Every structure is written in structure tokens, then in C-alpha cells.
Amino acid sequence: MSTTSDGNGTTARVLRLLDLLQSRPVWSGTELAERLGVTTRSVRRDVDRLRELGYPVNAAHGAGGGYQLGAGRRLPPLLLDDDEAVAIAVCLRLAAGGTVEGLGEAAVRTLAKLDQVLPARLRSQVEAIHEATVTLDGTTSPVDASTLLVLARACRETERVIFAYDGPRGAGERRVEPYRLVATGRRWYLLAYDLDRQDWRTFRLDRISAAESRGWRFRPRADAPDAAEHVRRSISRDAYDHVCRVRIHASRSVVEQQIPPSVGTVTADGRSHCIFEAGGNHLGWMAMHLAVLPWEMTVLDPPELREVMREQAARLVRAATTDPA
């Protein structure tokens, strides 16, 4: 909030008034005047200033009446003290890590905005709490919070990023134009245009280190793919040696309840059937995972997978019928 014509004293008092109104439901004019060290007439003028700035301050007369900060049509600026800012930053980091379902991407965007204005002394407190916190969740891959912030800001500001990447095909430095962060529930991914390979790439954030933005801006490319669809295809098919296509005797809505997007893609094939596609590096493991699905199915591709499934089925039958004696 900028300084008004009344000077810094008035601005500071209006901020203090806003803090008081946010701290409890109703204040009388006399109580506010005592807290602020001014007259009730000054309180009324400061309330009018808040209304001009977009804060919906309601006033009720009579017994039990007073000033109350109401809900408006738009969200006005939020005033936080040091402890509140630290608490929100810590909670956002936990949510960004996947501990709060459905809040991951929104938490990262909000955390990036908050981190931009957070004083260094408060940022160090957030770091200390984060480093001392352990989340017991073996199904997620931990991501460094500073990496999330660097990439989130770079996506928002359209700035090139350089980072070290330890991928399955080797480690090295990557220069990219970052577009979107995508959370699958188990992992975070970055969709970016790789400047050295001149193509779109998907990067796992837990394999990224030393990420930094040097301020080089880029113009968003017109051929940018849909982030969610591109990442889904990359992690379920493109990164593997084999891709299976299976026709499942169940509707798409039913199958999608048990198969997460990070495992494979499910497309409708009529009202009561669907096509499931997924990738894998070992046909035996693919056959085993398909075998535990609770529906009738037909393997469409590859033919080698059908042979592996026949061999596994014969082996299981022998194991179930052989007399242990």
C-alpha cells in the first residue's frame, strides 16, 4: 500500500486498523479508537479509506454493533504478521509436496508469489522448519522446495532456466524454456522446450538440481503442447521399450477409478469397453501387472506380450496343481 497525502503516520494507522479488523469479527468504534490512540472520528475516516481501497468494512449501530470486515466481490490485499506469513509458507510447502490432495500446483503458484515478497529473515525461518520436517509418505518422490520455486517463477515470468539433470540416459546440463509444472500425485514434472535438442521434453523434478534463472526472457512458442497430455504420454509410454494396447471389458469411467493417469492412458471404446495403453521395459512385468486387473481383457499389441502371458499362465497353473508332497 502506498503512502497517502496524510503521511506515513496515517498509512501506518490504516494498516494497523486493517490488522485489527482481521483479528476478530466485530470491533466497536471506541475500542478501535483506544487501540489506535485516535478519536472515533479518525476511525471513521480510516474506515472510509479502507473502503476506497476495496476492503468491504461493514458498520452496524446499536447494542452489539460495530465495525466488521466483510466478504467482497474481489479479494483485497491480505495483511499478515511475521508468524502468520511463516505459518502459511510452511503449510504451502507441505501442500506442494503432495501431502494435501489436489493442492500441489496451486500451492506452488501461491508459494512463488509469497516467496517473492517474504523478507530474508522470515525466509530463513521457513527453511529451518522445512529442513526439520519429515513427511512419512513412501509413495511420493521428494522435490527440493527451492527447485520448485525457481521453476514456478521461471514459468510465470517466461525466463530460460539452466539446471543439472540426472536422467535415465545420463547426466548433464540442460538449457530450457520452462512452460508448465505438472503434478501426478506421486511426482512433479516440468514441461519445457529443450534448446539444445530443439524439442519438447518432460523432466522429473526430483532429478533436477542446481536450477537457476539468469533473467533471459523468451517468447512463448505457438506450438506448445497441452502440458497435462504431453506429460501423461511421456511418463506412461514414450520413455519405455515396449508399449502395450489392451481392450478392457469395462467402461472408461470404471477403469479410470483404479488406474491413475501416471500409469497409462484410457480411452473409451464404446459404452462398455475401453482401450488401455501403457509402457514398460520388461514384458514379464507388464504381463504381471495386467494380470492383477479385475476385468476381462484382450491384448491387442504387442504380439510378444500375448506369448509371455501364455507362458506365465501355464507356469501358474502348474504351480497351483502340483502336489507339494
Side-chain angles (χ1 to χ4, degrees):
M1 184 182 298
S2 61
T3 303
T4 67
S5 59
D6 294 296
N8 290 328
T10 301
T11 300
R13 191 176 67 245
V14 171
L15 287 173
R16 174 60 179 155
L17 172 60
L18 178 59
D19 189 28
L20 291 172
L21 290 173
Q22 289 178 336
S23 65
R24 86 180 198 200
V26 181
W27 289 85
S28 70
T30 302
E31 290 175 321
L32 291 174
E34 292 176 352
R35 289 293 190 98
L36 298 172
V38 296
T39 64
T40 54
R41 183 178 180 181
S42 294
V43 170
R44 289 195 294 272
R45 286 200 298 265
D46 290 344
V47 167
D48 289 337
R49 292 188 178 95
L50 287 177
R51 289 168 176 162
E52 292 172 359
L53 292 170
Y55 291 87
V57 182
N58 302 322
H61 301 286
Y67 294 101
Q68 182 180 32
L69 190 63
R73 294 183 178 179
R74 63 185 180 88
L75 185 65
L78 182 64
L79 189 64
L80 303 173
D81 61 26
D82 289 359
D83 291 341
E84 291 168 340
V86 170
I88 289 177
V90 170
C91 291
L92 286 171
R93 288 197 176 200
L94 291 173
T99 57
V100 181
E101 183 178 1
L103 291 183
E105 295 184 62
V108 170
R109 293 195 301 269
T110 308
L111 185 57
K113 295 177 183 178
L114 181 59
D115 186 75
Q116 190 173 11
V117 298
L118 207 62
R121 57 187 174 82
L122 298 184
R123 192 178 292 111
S124 63
Q125 293 183 37
V126 176
E127 291 287 349
I129 296 174
H130 188 70
E131 291 173 1
T133 303
V134 176
T135 301
L136 294 179
D137 188 353
T139 64
T140 59
S141 299
V143 175
D144 180 63
S146 61
T147 299
L148 272 173
L149 289 174
V150 168
L151 296 177
R153 284 196 295 263
C155 290
R156 188 183 64 198
E157 302 297 331
T158 61
E159 292 182 353
R160 293 181 178 179
V161 175
I162 298 176
F163 53 77
Y165 192 68
D166 187 10
R169 295 178 176 83
E173 184 180 86
R174 310 300 281 267
R175 300 184 310 115
V176 305
E177 295 174 354
Y179 275 74
R180 282 290 302 274
L181 291 169
V182 179
T184 66
R186 296 180 63 246
R187 293 190 179 100
W188 279 93
Y189 295 89
L190 170 69
L191 171 65
Y193 187 84
D194 192 312
L195 294 170
D196 296 317
R197 291 154 181 82
Q198 297 187 355
D199 199 3
W200 295 97
R201 290 289 189 270
T202 297
F203 301 95
R204 272 177 49 175
L205 262 65
D206 58 312
R207 293 175 173 172
I208 292 177
S209 61
E212 59 176 319
S213 173
R214 298 177 179 175
W216 290 93
R217 303 292 296 272
F218 66 88
R219 184 189 299 272
R221 298 175 184 268
D223 62 342
D226 178 83
E229 182 59 33
H230 186 88
V231 170
R232 181 184 295 111
R233 185 175 62 253
S234 297
I235 64 179
S236 65
R237 296 182 51 185
D238 296 352
Y240 298 100
D241 297 331
H242 306 283
V243 176
C244 73
R245 292 181 67 249
V246 179
R247 188 170 190 258
I248 296 179
H249 299 202
S251 66
R252 176 183 177 181
S253 59
V254 170
V255 174
E256 284 184 329
Q257 292 178 7
Q258 297 196 36
I259 298 180
S262 59
V263 173
T265 59
V266 182
T267 56
D269 183 25
R271 298 182 60 182
S272 58
H273 295 78
C274 63
I275 303 298
F276 171 62
E277 296 180 85
N281 292 326
H282 192 280
L283 290 175
W285 282 105
M286 296 176 72
M288 181 187 69
H289 286 296
L290 289 172
V292 300
L293 295 179
W295 308 289
E296 295 290 328
M297 66 184 69
T298 302
V299 176
L300 303 178
D301 288 303
E304 298 82 5
L305 178 59
R306 292 196 289 268
E307 183 60 33
V308 170
M309 295 181 77
R310 293 190 192 99
E311 294 174 357
Q312 287 191 358
R315 187 165 58 252
L316 290 172
V317 169
R318 289 195 299 270
T321 57
T322 301
D323 189 348

